[in-house]
Amino acid sequence: MYYDELKTFITLAEVKNFTKTAEILHLSQPSVSLHIKNLEKEFQTKLFIRSPKQLRMTPTGELLYDRAKQMMALYEQTKQDILEHHHSVKGGLKIGASFTIGEYILPPFLLDFQQRYPELELEVIIGNTKEIVELVRSYQVDIGLIEGQTNEKELSVHPFMQDELVIVASNRHELAQKEEVAITDLQNEAWVAREVGSGTREYFNHFIRSNGLKVKSLMIISSNQGIKEMLINGNALSLLSRSVVARDIEHGHLSVIRLKHPPFYRMFSYIYSPVMENKQTVLIFLDRLQNR
Ligand SMILES: O=S([O-])[O-]
């Protein structure tokens, strides 16, 4: 549809003056003429009779004027209806999220999301990556957000955000006092790690194995908060997402070990089963997630 041209045409038909039309629409006069020319070409007709004294509409101009008003009204109404449709999204959306995402990334995002769609009923289930994959596979949640990997062939997996992992300890830890720490300085340390099945543990195993590190002791806690408490009160190290420890670092409860090594990154992904692909609430959620 020639939206801009029709708008110009309607204004010109009403004020009957090129200069005034250009002023009202914040256009140049040649643009106004071009819009009219484009319409005349499109409809293969003359729309105005120009005489030095006045500007008159031709009969086809009159016809187009009535229809153009209807078209514009319909266009505006459609725009309005679509806007309202988005604001009145109803129904439920069940989101499964792994711990780091569910506890640290999702809350501010969901507050904004709920403000946009106040009639949507949101439910978040938090578990580790393996548990969330299972919930998505068995349709117990509409969509899953995970920090680990999955090889589930029947699910769609899409990375949506990069996450940085850091090695943290209490401020009293010997390595926290050093200006620079080499990976080899991490030999024979006590670690606290997440449980098998979590994305964080998967990365930890990879980190220890690929650097040939010997672990003096390993304590497993299936909660990021639990790990942080252990670190603050003990003398172990842990590999956690920076988003999990950001506030504790800011408040001086934990320190990031300053490694010579470049930062460690992984990707967060959203996953869903193909049957959820066309669910309106899922589509809206994904659209916001990608454009956050
Ligand atoms: O909760 S996690 O680290 O998959």
Side-chain angles (χ1 to χ4, degrees), residues 47-112:
L47 296 169
F48 291 99
I49 300 162
R50 289 154 229 213
S51 70
K53 284 228 180 97
Q54 58 171 350
L55 186 71
R56 269 191 306 120
M57 262 194 285
T58 61
T60 49
E62 303 269 5
L63 177 80
L64 181 62
Y65 176 72
D66 288 339
R67 297 278 164 86
K69 293 276 275 188
Q70 289 169 12
M71 280 190 260
M72 296 301 270
L74 191 61
Y75 180 90
E76 293 303 337
Q77 186 56 47
T78 307
K79 230 168 108 179
Q80 188 58 30
D81 288 350
I82 288 176
L83 198 76
E84 278 169 20
H85 172 81
H86 282 311
H87 280 278
S88 70
V89 174
K90 291 192 181 91
L93 179 66
K94 271 196 183 177
I95 305 159
S98 61
F99 280 91
T100 306
I101 305 175
E103 292 177 334
Y104 297 92
I105 309 291
L106 212 46
F109 172 81
L110 284 185
L111 283 173
D112 173 71

Side-chain angles (χ1 to χ4, degrees), residues 12-286:
L12 183 62
E14 286 169 357
V15 303
K16 298 197 169 46
N17 183 298
F18 277 83
T19 316
K20 264 198 207 145
T21 300
E23 267 170 30
I24 293 171
L25 298 177
H26 304 292
L27 293 172
S28 64
Q29 221 173 296
S31 300
V32 173
S33 303
L34 185 67
H35 282 180
I36 302 304
K37 225 193 244 159
N38 287 345
L39 284 179
E40 289 182 333
K41 197 163 156 218
E42 169 69 10
F43 293 108
Q44 312 237 325
T45 190
K46 273 223 117 358
L47 296 169
F48 291 99
I49 300 162
R50 289 154 229 213
S51 70
K53 284 228 180 97
Q54 58 171 350
L55 186 71
R56 269 191 306 120
M57 262 194 285
T58 61
T60 49
E62 303 269 5
L63 177 80
L64 181 62
Y65 176 72
D66 288 339
R67 297 278 164 86
K69 293 276 275 188
Q70 289 169 12
M71 280 190 260
M72 296 301 270
L74 191 61
Y75 180 90
E76 293 303 337
Q77 186 56 47
T78 307
K79 230 168 108 179
Q80 188 58 30
D81 288 350
I82 288 176
L83 198 76
E84 278 169 20
H85 172 81
H86 282 311
H87 280 278
S88 70
V89 174
K90 291 192 181 91
L93 179 66
K94 271 196 183 177
I95 305 159
S98 61
F99 280 91
T100 306
I101 305 175
E103 292 177 334
Y104 297 92
I105 309 291
L106 212 46
F109 172 81
L110 284 185
L111 283 173
D112 173 71
F113 189 67
Q114 183 140 62
Q115 252 175 13
R116 282 171 194 270
Y117 306 106
E119 293 183 57
L120 201 59
E121 230 173 77
L122 295 170
E123 184 179 341
V124 179
I125 299 176
I126 297 179
N128 68 31
T129 294
K130 190 166 171 233
E131 290 162 346
I132 298 304
V133 169
E134 194 41 44
L135 291 178
V136 173
R137 234 178 46 78
S138 55
Y139 313 121
Q140 291 183 65
V141 293
D142 301 317
I143 184 143
L145 305 172
I146 56 169
E147 54 206 87
Q149 316 263 343
T150 177
N151 296 322
E152 275 301 334
K153 298 248 170 351
E154 58 211 82
L155 300 182
S156 288
V157 183
H158 305 269
F160 71 93
M161 182 180 161
Q162 182 175 262
D163 180 48
E164 185 190 353
L165 289 141
V166 286
I167 296 179
V168 276
S170 93
N171 303 335
R172 298 178 318 280
H173 196 287
E174 196 196 327
L175 294 178
Q177 325 271 328
K178 290 196 172 180
E179 265 316 304
E180 231 183 19
V181 174
I183 296 270
T184 47
D185 296 334
L186 299 173
Q187 286 293 2
N188 255 321
E189 286 293 332
W191 291 85
V192 191
R194 287 282 308 283
E195 77 286 7
V196 169
S198 68
T200 310
R201 175 61 177 273
E202 186 181 295
Y203 198 97
F204 171 77
N205 285 352
H206 159 77
F207 171 73
I208 295 290
R209 227 181 294 122
S210 60
N211 289 295
L213 292 176
K214 193 163 175 297
V215 172
K216 184 164 86 186
S217 69
L218 179 64
M219 181 178 292
I220 312 298
I221 303 184
S222 60
S223 140
N224 289 326
Q225 190 56 40
I227 292 181
K228 290 196 291 184
E229 289 301 322
M230 279 302 299
L231 297 181
I232 292 169
N233 296 297
N235 200 37
L237 299 172
S238 191
L239 181 70
L240 291 171
S241 166
R242 189 178 275 281
S243 55
V244 169
V245 292
R247 211 173 289 162
D248 307 83
I249 292 166
E250 196 183 306
H251 294 162
H253 301 143
L254 289 174
S255 284
V256 171
I257 306 298
R258 289 180 283 270
L259 285 182
K260 276 185 209 156
H261 193 278
F264 308 117
Y265 292 114
R266 64 177 171 177
M267 290 305 289
F268 289 156
S269 304
Y270 64 82
I271 58 173
Y272 58 83
S273 149
V275 297
M276 298 293 176
E277 201 160 63
N278 295 317
K279 192 171 169 177
Q280 188 206 22
T281 50
V282 169
L283 293 175
I284 288 170
F285 179 80
L286 290 182

